[in-house]
Amino acid sequence: MSNINNRISIVLVCDDYYAILLGAFLKSIELNHKTEEIIDVYIVDDNISAKSKRKIIESLNSDKMKLNWMLMKDIIPENIQLPLVSNSYPINTYIRVLIPYFIPQHIDKIIFLDVDMIMLEDISKLWNIDIGNKIIGAVSDTIGPIVKTIGAGIENHVELGLDANEKYFNAGLIVINVDKWKAEKITEKTFEAINNNKKYAALGDQYGLNISLIGQWYHVDPLWSCFSVNTIKKPYLVHYFNIKPIFKDYSYNYREEFFYYLNQTAWKGFKPKGKISRKIKKVKNLIQKAKIFLFK
């Protein structure tokens, strides 16, 4: 895989509600990036407001990052029926499965990142990890009380003939070999796995990706995705598990790290929200799904 013109390519997906998380995360990436590469950021825009976009743009150094905005409604192929499963996650979680088909054709390597993260290390070190002949690089939940094996993460693994002892990865961080992904038809296999097993696919894209990529992914150092429930002293990246630090009832770790970077953005001085806001967000996610599947 090449590094065209000494650039790093990343893709994130965000709606307006979590634009504040995106702003803090991008700021943390920028401030910890010490090498000379320009970071090309492809932001899949799920109805981010003009106000939030301005805040994100104003918060970042354009000499280090180039922001590329892509409307979510424009990148979902008409022939793709996104799976409907019983969870309250936003429909935009499926966008990571489509990445190789909507990014510019010259890109053969890209990093996908969830927005509920904070970077504490230079992203160039993640970019330069050699994943060999694997399709993706990802992190197994080996330093947290989360799912670690296929046996624990895929409830119907026996029926599917999957090895229960194979490692299970979290889909929040994925280093993608674009050409290999396309050649192995990972997008099609992932959606097929979800659609054929909806009863077991509450985690949607993560369920399908772990089935379609079993044994075909490189194990990235787990310090690159340290869950906020952990107490690791020097993680490379923090992934804010479950409740996010923008809420008053946040009770996990690494709160200070999040607000250190947030307060260097246009959201400086932000006051955490109440839990009602979080519940309303989940209801809106369900309504969005209903609209998409009723009127597609």
Side-chain angles (χ1 to χ4, degrees):
M1 294 185 287
S2 62
N3 186 348
I4 296 176
N5 297 324
N6 207 25
R7 304 178 84 91
I8 293 172
S9 300
I10 66 175
V11 61
L12 306 99
V13 184
C14 194
D15 57 22
D16 194 55
Y17 190 82
Y18 281 146
I20 184 172
L21 297 182
L22 176 60
F25 186 26
L26 289 177
K27 193 64 181 178
S28 73
I29 293 174
E30 174 203 305
L31 293 180
N32 285 292
H33 181 46
K34 306 302 182 185
T35 49
E36 63 183 3
E37 303 96 338
I38 299 298
I39 303 173
D40 289 315
V41 184
Y42 296 90
I43 302 172
V44 179
D45 172 3
D46 183 8
N47 294 309
I48 300 176
S49 69
K51 180 180 179 181
S52 294
K53 282 186 181 179
R54 283 196 302 272
K55 282 188 172 185
I56 290 170
I57 294 168
E58 291 168 5
S59 299
L60 301 170
N61 180 349
S62 60
D63 291 335
K64 284 192 171 185
M65 282 186 171
K66 179 184 177 184
L67 304 184
N68 303 276
W69 301 89
M70 313 174 83
L71 292 177
M72 188 175 85
K73 65 181 182 65
D74 293 338
I75 64 172
I76 301 176
E78 290 186 4
N79 63 326
I80 292 289
Q81 179 67 52
L82 300 179
L84 179 60
V85 297
S86 57
N87 64 38
S88 60
Y89 298 137
I91 198 69
N92 66 34
T93 59
Y94 286 121
I95 296 302
R96 78 194 79 196
V97 185
L98 299 169
I99 289 171
Y101 294 95
F102 66 73
I103 57 171
Q105 290 188 358
H106 69 271
I107 295 176
D108 58 10
K109 174 184 179 182
I110 197 160
I111 302 171
F112 170 81
L113 296 156
D114 278 344
V115 297
D116 57 342
M117 295 176 163
I118 287 293
M119 183 69 71
L120 300 174
E121 181 55 276
D122 193 329
I123 194 171
S124 66
K125 294 181 180 179
L126 175 63
W127 178 255
N128 288 316
I129 290 174
D130 182 4
I131 66 171
N133 63 354
K134 301 296 186 182
I135 300 172
I136 69 165
V139 176
S140 182
D141 300 327
T142 54
I143 56 173
I146 322 294
V147 176
K148 298 177 175 66
T149 64
I150 288 292
I154 307 295
E155 186 180 348
N156 61 328
H157 66 276
V158 174
E159 293 91 328
L160 296 174
L162 305 178
D163 182 351
N165 296 315
E166 282 277 2
K167 293 293 185 182
Y168 179 97
F169 64 86
N170 183 278
L173 180 154
I174 310 175
V175 181
I176 302 174
N177 181 321
V178 175
D179 295 335
K180 282 185 173 294
W181 179 293
K182 288 182 176 179
E184 294 297 325
K185 301 186 182 300
I186 298 302
T187 298
E188 294 83 350
K189 289 177 181 176
T190 298
F191 285 143
E192 181 181 9
I194 299 168
N195 281 318
N196 290 344
N197 301 278
K198 288 184 178 180
K199 177 181 176 181
Y200 304 99
L203 289 180
D205 58 294
Q206 185 164 288
Y207 172 90
L209 286 167
N210 269 280
I211 292 173
S212 63
L213 287 161
I214 186 169
Q216 300 184 81
W217 59 281
Y218 176 85
H219 294 236
V220 172
D221 188 328
L223 288 175
W224 282 109
S225 189
C226 176
F227 281 97
S228 51
V229 293
N230 294 137
T231 56
I232 304 301
K233 288 186 178 180
K234 293 184 178 180
Y236 301 154
L237 178 147
V238 175
H239 192 169
Y240 289 94
F241 173 79
N242 195 6
I243 299 174
K244 315 306 176 191
I246 58 172
F247 298 111
K248 291 179 180 178
D249 57 340
Y250 180 79
S251 60
Y252 302 125
N253 304 311
Y254 309 106
R255 181 198 300 268
E256 294 77 12
E257 286 82 350
F258 175 80
F259 280 98
Y260 172 80
Y261 292 105
L262 183 67
N263 284 328
Q264 296 184 71
T265 74
W267 280 274
K268 181 180 180 180
F270 169 83
K271 303 298 182 184
K273 305 176 182 181
K275 64 174 65 178
I276 294 299
S277 173
R278 190 168 70 251
K279 292 180 179 179
I280 292 173
K281 166 65 170 142
K282 289 184 177 181
V283 171
K284 287 183 177 179
N285 289 344
L286 293 171
I287 292 172
Q288 182 193 36
K289 282 184 178 180
K291 287 181 178 179
I292 288 175
F293 290 99
L294 283 174
F295 300 108
K296 188 174 177 64

